[in-house]
Amino acid sequence: FESKPRAREPLRHTELPSAGIMVKIVAKPQAMKAKKVQTVLATKKAPTGPRTKKLQNYSERGSGLKFALETYEAVSRFTPQTKIKYGPNLKSKGSKSFDRYAKYMKATTVAEALKLGTKPADLLWEYERGNYQVVGGPQSSTPNCCQGKTSDKTGAEKVLSSFRGPSGFSLKMDPEKRLMCAKLAAEFGYDLDTLHQQADETGNNESADIQMQRTLANALAEKTLKEVAKARRKVSDADVVEVLKVWGFARNETRLNVLPQGQIWVHSDTLGPLRMRHGGFRITDPTLAYASFTKLLCKWFTDHQPDDIACKCVFTGINVNANYAGRIHRDGNNEGPSAIKAVGKFTG
């Protein structure tokens, strides 16, 4: 967490509400490359407009093909040599699925089943219903989609790499974080399909994983702020850590001065204004799209302002960094001191 103080000659300013106070965000001449990010729609209202019917029909069409996280976890770890044993054909006689099942039910491995006509969705559907059992053979310790590039794979390996989990809960996510997000989504009443329909409607370019994590982190921050206000207490480090555990960090390739040796990106997000290439300023979209997250960090800082900053500190930006040891560097366009604090479990 890094708060950046006010410039001597501000070019533009805006007001950002914090919990119980107003924190003035004053843009300073900080030359920093910023990506164009579109605003996230993080509400649960039904989408409107000319594409609503199409999106609703799509959801209805796929309503019978939603699978549990545990199913994705299991099937995503199959290898072509995983041994399986199919049960009797319980499909409707005369249907295409009955005829297909009659062919691949003879398979003894996942590779044979795929070769004989089973589809990726069949492996998920029939696993949940017990139409086949895993009876032996090797299985991966991690999901196949996490092992190398799918484009470099062929045959059954490529098919198995297509299992990435439900929208918003990709198998590439840390398993512990994925389960934590699933629990929070249920607690706050978020429906994944509706949320991603809304994102599609607004043209949001955040990935499904990032959007879901940030939306849930924002909801948790809002809940925390209410609890803090009710108890009339300060925002604690523990409060912030719990929210940051959920926050979805995008890959940032623009912070060249902090990149550790051998890395081309880091997890680093900026809240507040950035100076654009044309010389103007803009407030990064996450600042306002996830306003409760921003408010929580602002109140945390003002609740624990360092003693050596005697005056009221008015800052222009916050950098939130995760899981990397930045190179020793000096920010060339900062004005005044930077307040930096590390939280969570780490070494170094």
Side-chain angles (χ1 to χ4, degrees):
F1 170 81
E2 180 181 353
S3 69
K4 296 186 176 180
R6 181 174 57 189
R8 293 196 190 95
E9 298 180 13
L11 301 182
R12 175 181 170 188
H13 76 273
T14 184
E15 297 289 339
L16 179 67
S18 182
I21 59 172
M22 296 296 290
V23 177
K24 182 176 288 186
I25 303 300
V26 184
K28 65 179 182 306
Q30 178 187 7
M32 187 170 182
K33 182 180 178 182
K35 293 183 178 179
K36 184 178 180 181
V37 183
Q38 298 193 15
T39 302
V40 179
L41 178 61
T43 66
K44 291 180 281 185
K45 295 181 180 179
T48 58
R51 295 185 60 192
T52 299
K53 184 176 181 180
K54 178 180 178 181
L55 290 169
Q56 290 176 340
N57 288 342
Y58 178 85
S59 179
E60 292 167 2
R61 213 170 41 243
S63 60
L65 294 176
K66 298 174 183 176
F67 308 104
L69 279 172
E70 294 77 12
T71 300
Y72 280 105
E73 285 280 2
V75 176
S76 69
R77 285 170 166 74
F78 287 173
T79 69
Q81 295 77 36
T82 299
K83 295 182 179 180
I84 55 178
K85 182 179 180 180
Y86 280 95
N89 192 342
L90 302 178
K91 309 285 185 179
S92 300
K93 289 187 178 181
S95 65
K96 292 182 179 179
S97 58
F98 180 90
D99 294 338
R100 285 196 307 108
Y101 190 91
K103 294 179 180 178
Y104 62 74
M105 66 181 291
K106 303 172 185 178
T108 59
T109 66
V110 171
E112 288 179 1
L114 290 168
K115 186 176 181 180
L116 293 174
T118 192
K119 298 178 181 179
D122 293 329
L123 289 173
L124 296 166
W125 178 272
E126 290 160 1
Y127 179 88
E128 284 197 346
R129 287 155 183 77
N131 296 127
Y132 67 86
Q133 294 181 340
V134 178
V135 295
Q139 295 187 54
S140 299
S141 58
T142 58
N144 287 286
C145 63
C146 299
Q147 302 175 26
K149 295 182 179 179
T150 302
S151 58
D152 295 337
K153 301 176 182 179
T154 58
E157 287 186 347
K158 187 171 185 177
V159 174
L160 293 172
S161 293
S162 67
F163 293 110
R164 299 182 180 277
S167 295
F169 291 121
S170 168
L171 293 170
K172 290 187 175 183
M173 288 172 59
D174 176 75
E176 182 179 346
K177 186 170 187 178
R178 187 165 61 247
L179 293 176
M180 178 172 55
C181 287
K183 181 179 178 180
L184 288 173
E187 177 183 344
F188 295 122
Y190 282 104
D191 177 77
L192 297 182
D193 292 316
T194 300
L195 192 60
H196 290 293
Q197 286 177 13
Q198 292 170 342
D200 183 65
E201 180 71 13
T202 58
N204 174 21
N205 66 353
E206 287 180 319
S207 71
D209 292 346
I210 295 297
Q211 179 191 347
M212 177 53 65
Q213 291 168 52
R214 290 180 173 181
T215 299
L216 292 174
N218 191 65
L220 182 57
E222 181 180 3
K223 177 184 176 182
T224 303
L225 286 170
K226 290 179 180 179
E227 293 175 350
V228 166
K230 184 177 181 179
R232 296 183 179 181
R233 65 175 178 85
K234 295 180 178 181
V235 176
S236 68
D237 289 1
D239 293 328
V240 172
V241 170
E242 287 305 306
V243 173
L244 289 176
K245 285 181 180 178
V246 185
W247 180 256
F249 285 90
R251 293 187 176 188
N252 190 329
E253 300 176 358
T254 66
R255 301 205 64 193
L256 303 180
N257 61 327
V258 305
L259 288 178
Q261 188 69 30
Q263 287 189 220
I264 61 173
W265 60 268
V266 291
H267 282 148
S268 179
D269 292 324
T270 299
L271 303 174
L274 287 178
R275 186 173 186 176
M276 307 302 290
R277 289 180 177 178
H278 56 70
F281 288 85
R282 66 182 292 272
I283 296 177
T284 63
D285 287 337
T287 307
L288 301 177
Y290 306 104
S292 292
F293 177 75
T294 305
K295 292 176 185 178
L296 183 73
L297 293 182
C298 288
K299 180 162 175 55
W300 177 52
F301 177 75
T302 55
D303 280 350
H304 304 279
Q305 180 173 311
D307 294 335
D308 56 352
I309 301 180
C311 60
K312 181 179 179 180
C313 183
V314 180
F315 48 91
T316 63
I318 300 173
N319 283 126
V320 188
N321 307 308
N323 300 333
Y324 76 92
R327 289 189 321 205
I328 297 176
H329 67 284
R330 182 184 295 275
D331 292 332
N333 294 293
N334 285 4
E335 291 286 346
S338 292
I340 303 173
K341 183 167 184 177
V343 293
K345 296 181 179 179
F346 60 92
T347 59

